[in-house]
Amino acid sequence: MDKGVLRKWFKAGYREKQAFHPTEEGTPQGGMASPVLDNLALDGLERRLKEHCPTPHAETADRRKVHMVRYADDCIIPGTSKERLEGEGKPCVEQCMQERGLELSQAKTVVTCVANGFDCLGHHGRKYHGTYMAKPSRKNVHAFLETVRSIVKANKQAKVENLSGLRKPVPRGWAT
């Protein structure tokens, strides 16, 4: 990673409503630079995991694998063995992050069996009877219902057809 470019990006500032806001460090939350920088920082992590936790040969009975799925600044590292993830995968990720001046969030990092399920990007993934399924997470569903309730409360005097028109975009946006 070119540290000069990275340093300039951190100090580039941002523009909001035609006004420029300088920044001394970091990137604005939700800004387009943040996921780009996260992806740059995470580049090489998947390769490192494959080197550190190689996929066993097909002829061996041990089929414990470690993979990596990345979306912007979030990643899931699934494996068929919780012990392997805790013993080999997590230390490998922590070391790789430390080399880049980052640290793994202990509050957000969960090592769990896929049968118990996990939340990521507003979805709850879980393996049911050998089949992986994803559905909206409870937290996401509650936020959706709270949004609908707030629209109804704010428009108590509105006609039903008008209230319906106000609520229509909410499920459509939530579904996409």
Side-chain angles (χ1 to χ4, degrees), residues 43-55:
D43 272 352
L45 178 58
E46 187 171 11
R47 182 176 21 84
R48 179 84 62 91
L49 275 169
K50 284 184 180 182
E51 291 168 0
H52 194 72
C53 305
T55 303

Side-chain angles (χ1 to χ4, degrees), residues 45-108:
L45 178 58
E46 187 171 11
R47 182 176 21 84
R48 179 84 62 91
L49 275 169
K50 284 184 180 182
E51 291 168 0
H52 194 72
C53 305
T55 303
H57 298 291
E59 54 270 0
T60 64
D62 183 13
R63 301 219 186 274
R64 294 177 296 169
K65 301 175 186 175
V66 175
H67 301 284
M68 183 173 159
V69 180
R70 205 163 73 173
Y71 183 81
D73 59 346
D74 289 322
C75 70
I76 301 171
I77 302 174
T80 54
S81 165
K82 184 176 178 179
E83 293 77 26
R84 187 166 195 183
L85 287 171
E86 285 177 337
E88 297 176 35
K90 189 175 176 185
C92 176
V93 172
E94 287 172 338
Q95 180 186 359
C96 191
M97 300 284 277
Q98 190 176 25
E99 289 171 7
R100 290 159 170 78
L102 303 169
E103 61 183 54
L104 206 55
S105 168
Q106 298 304 320
K108 293 181 179 182

Side-chain angles (χ1 to χ4, degrees), residues 19-58:
F20 178 75
H21 303 275
T23 54
E24 291 303 314
E25 61 181 37
T27 60
Q29 182 71 26
M32 65 180 247
S34 185
V36 171
L37 292 172
D38 289 330
N39 267 315
L40 288 172
L42 289 175
D43 272 352
L45 178 58
E46 187 171 11
R47 182 176 21 84
R48 179 84 62 91
L49 275 169
K50 284 184 180 182
E51 291 168 0
H52 194 72
C53 305
T55 303
H57 298 291

